[in-house]
Amino acid sequence: MSENAMNTRAQLNDGPPAEEQYTAQFERTLGKFESFAVAFSFISITTGLFSTYGSMLTSSGPIGIWTWPIVTLGTILVALVFGLLASKIPLSGFSYQWASRLVNPVLGWWFGWASFAFLSIVTVAVDYGLAQVALFPLLGWEYSASAGALTTLILILVQTALIIWSTPILTKINNLAVGAEVVAVFGLIIAIGVAVAFFGKGNTSNLLSTGIVHSDNYYGWLGPFMLSGLLGAFTLVGWESAANLAEETHNPKQVVPKAMVNAVVVSGVLGTLFLIVVSLGLGDNVAELTRSSAPVADVIRMTLGETFSKVVLVVVCVAIFACGLVIMTSNSRLIHAMARDGRLPFSEKLSVVPRPTGGPLWATLLACVVSVGIVLSFYSSPDALTQLLGAATLFPALLYSGTVVLYIFTRHKHIHHPDDFTLGKWEWPVVVGASVWLFVEMCVFIIPSDFRVAQMYVLASMLVGVVVFAAVWLRRRKQLERMPPLGTYL
């Protein structure tokens, strides 16, 4: 094969021509499964369902699980739209890069800041969830606000060290965790299903029960049933992390979009089955388990016994830990991408990547410090997990909505290439469907008073962003005004 032919093949496999790319600082170590695993691990249905099932019982009762398939369908549509953009501009920083190159760097900066705020809060939410709903029940410890905060701090520090140390090691841990999580979820679905069907340890009426929640206006606009959408809206997020690691992925233009969509589909199917058997496994103890801090762990113990539940909780702890690890990794790559363009204070430090097989040192440390600060602000709050879940749900809804709007208004700038991911005649139906779903989701998380704390976190984060943006504008205005070349990304 000639040298020109080899260069052409390399471009098709790994992105645009070298002269139109950033200087490679990371090694491409992610294949199809690894890219899927990153997206699947960020979603982590065990993380989401163990963390939010109790909140759903309180707000909506067991019947609230039927919002999960609805959220799954809406999220698949959004992921398909993201896939179109990820294929056009396969760079770390995802929506930050897309908005910067399709509109202007200032808008891109705000997309990046919102993504940074989301990833910072969701790192803390996931690690809090690991402590409260898995690790403490596994060890038989009584949960308290201070103990949960201290455990979360330790988890964040360990994850930071792993990210800086080695991306290949991090990938191996994540692959192992994903495999273990899939096996564990399948095992639980079968085991709890058998216990319910053949040993009388369940109650089928739970699937249509509102539990302790009054049925007045239950199915009305923004009633309890709609509020249970938090279950899926918190869990089925983060699949776009595959796009954030595009520069470390082989053939990202095709691999990344499919990885994101497949991760949502697999998570949606497994999550539906898991929610059904867990709700059946509540038996006649719905009211009692609604007051539990870890109802899913309690159902596993009641239906399968103490020993089996301990084994499962070990796997769940590994899966949730990997989820937090992937989230912080994604955050470090976002910070690095913005710093590489000179659009953050101390960009020279934050863009440093000491080794191509390791993480960006100072960017990862910044992600760690911000997450630690969030933990300290919730240190004495006994309701920290619930508040964190709300904040970690509203931000992605805003980001997804903004990105879909971005796609609609910049689609005319896209130039088709043979290796692009496309939807053909289904493109506009998908875009319209995603828009409708996001409008409903935004209404659910903005209008009800239940999410005022989440809204205050978003507002406070954006006000901090105003201060940081002002500092960047005063010191690095040229970088904010310079439009990156579009090259062959479009």
Side-chain angles (χ1 to χ4, degrees):
M1 182 181 295
S2 69
E3 183 177 349
N4 287 339
M6 291 175 66
N7 289 337
T8 300
R9 174 169 291 185
Q11 291 166 15
L12 290 174
N13 285 341
D14 290 336
E19 67 271 13
E20 295 174 4
Q21 297 188 73
Y22 293 107
T23 300
Q25 292 178 282
F26 300 104
E27 192 174 298
R28 291 190 186 272
T29 59
L30 306 183
K32 292 180 181 178
F33 177 77
E34 288 79 12
S35 185
F36 165 82
V38 165
F40 184 83
S41 185
F42 195 131
I43 293 173
S44 185
I45 53 176
T46 53
T47 303
L49 299 185
F50 270 70
S51 300
T52 59
Y53 188 78
S55 297
M56 183 210 68
L57 290 178
T58 301
S59 66
S60 315
I63 196 174
I65 66 171
W66 298 114
T67 57
W68 176 273
I70 299 171
V71 177
T72 298
L73 178 58
T75 306
I76 290 171
L77 298 176
V78 177
L80 286 168
V81 177
F82 267 64
L84 295 170
L85 285 166
S87 180
K88 298 290 184 184
I89 307 175
L91 293 171
S92 296
F94 58 110
S95 55
Y96 154 71
Q97 294 281 12
W98 305 339
S100 293
R101 293 165 185 274
L102 293 170
V103 182
N104 62 63
V106 171
L107 179 64
W109 192 94
W110 282 104
F111 267 88
W113 179 262
S115 299
F116 165 70
F118 160 58
L119 292 169
S120 298
I121 192 73
V122 79
T123 298
V124 178
V126 166
D127 286 340
Y128 252 104
L130 169 54
Q132 180 172 326
V133 305
L135 186 59
F136 276 60
L138 171 64
L139 299 175
W141 296 348
E142 183 177 350
Y143 182 82
S144 67
S146 58
L150 180 60
T151 304
T152 301
L153 288 173
I154 294 171
L155 290 169
I156 288 172
L157 293 176
V158 173
Q159 289 161 346
T160 300
L162 283 170
I163 294 167
I164 294 171
W165 178 31
S166 172
T167 301
I169 298 253
L170 182 154
T171 301
K172 287 182 174 63
I173 292 173
N174 189 54
N175 290 349
L176 175 65
V178 167
E181 181 173 18
V182 171
V183 171
V185 172
F186 264 120
L188 284 173
I189 291 169
I190 294 171
I192 297 177
V194 169
V196 168
F198 299 104
F199 297 96
K201 294 188 175 182
N203 189 333
T204 56
S205 67
N206 289 341
L207 298 180
L208 297 175
S209 170
T210 60
I212 64 172
V213 180
H214 294 296
S215 58
D216 296 343
N217 194 40
Y218 187 86
Y219 294 104
W221 173 247
L222 301 179
F225 184 72
M226 290 190 73
L227 293 181
S228 66
L230 173 66
L231 183 73
F234 171 76
T235 306
L236 296 172
V237 298
W239 35 265
E240 70 277 9
S241 57
N244 209 8
L245 273 68
E247 292 176 39
E248 297 162 70
T249 304
H250 293 291
N251 190 18
K253 290 170 72 67
Q254 286 292 324
V255 169
V256 168
K258 293 173 184 176
M260 294 191 294
V261 175
N262 289 339
V264 177
V265 171
V266 173
S267 298
V269 172
L270 287 179
T272 299
L273 297 174
F274 184 70
L275 286 168
I276 290 172
V277 297
V278 168
S279 297
L280 291 172
L282 292 170
D284 299 323
N285 305 299
V286 174
E288 177 186 348
L289 291 176
T290 298
R291 292 187 289 271
S292 170
S293 63
V296 176
D298 289 340
V299 168
I300 295 171
R301 189 185 70 255
M302 291 189 309
T303 55
L304 304 178
E306 194 72 34
T307 301
F308 191 89
S309 69
K310 294 289 187 185
V311 173
V312 170
L313 285 174
V314 169
V315 176
V316 169
C317 285
V318 172
I320 299 179
F321 177 81
C323 177
L325 187 64
V326 166
I327 294 168
M328 188 179 286
T329 301
S330 185
N331 202 10
S332 72
R333 298 321 191 253
L334 172 66
I335 295 168
H336 165 76
M338 295 181 71
R340 180 173 55 182
D341 291 338
R343 292 172 185 162
L344 288 176
F346 310 107
S347 285
E348 291 75 13
K349 285 282 188 183
L350 294 173
S351 61
V352 170
V353 180
R355 294 175 294 109
T357 56
L361 175 61
W362 295 103
T364 306
L365 289 175
L366 176 60
C368 171
V369 168
V370 172
S371 291
V372 166
I374 294 171
V375 174
L376 294 178
S377 69
F378 283 93
Y379 192 86
S380 60
S381 172
D383 198 30
L385 181 58
T386 300
Q387 295 177 14
L388 288 164
L389 292 177
T393 303
L394 178 55
F395 249 126
L398 290 167
L399 283 165
Y400 294 162
S401 299
T403 305
V404 170
V405 170
L406 174 73
Y407 180 80
I408 292 172
F409 284 96
T410 62
R411 184 181 177 278
H412 65 282
K413 296 183 178 182
H414 300 179
I415 300 172
H416 177 71
H417 296 93
D419 58 337
D420 286 347
F421 172 80
T422 63
L423 297 176
K425 65 181 181 180
W426 292 102
E427 179 179 340
W428 278 113
V430 165
V431 171
V432 171
S435 302
V436 171
W437 159 246
L438 288 169
F439 172 78
V440 173
E441 186 178 43
M442 290 294 292
C443 289
V444 170
F445 295 123
I446 289 180
I447 298 175
S449 60
D450 307 61
F451 299 103
R452 291 294 178 261
V453 173
Q455 293 161 15
M456 292 302 295
Y457 173 79
V458 171
L459 180 59
S461 299
M462 300 315 284
L463 289 176
V464 173
V466 170
V467 176
V468 177
F469 180 82
V472 175
W473 182 261
L474 291 173
R475 302 278 312 263
R476 299 173 177 272
R477 185 169 177 176
K478 287 184 179 179
Q479 285 88 339
L480 279 173
E481 292 179 333
R482 177 176 54 85
M483 177 72 79
L486 294 178
T488 60
Y489 291 115
L490 301 179

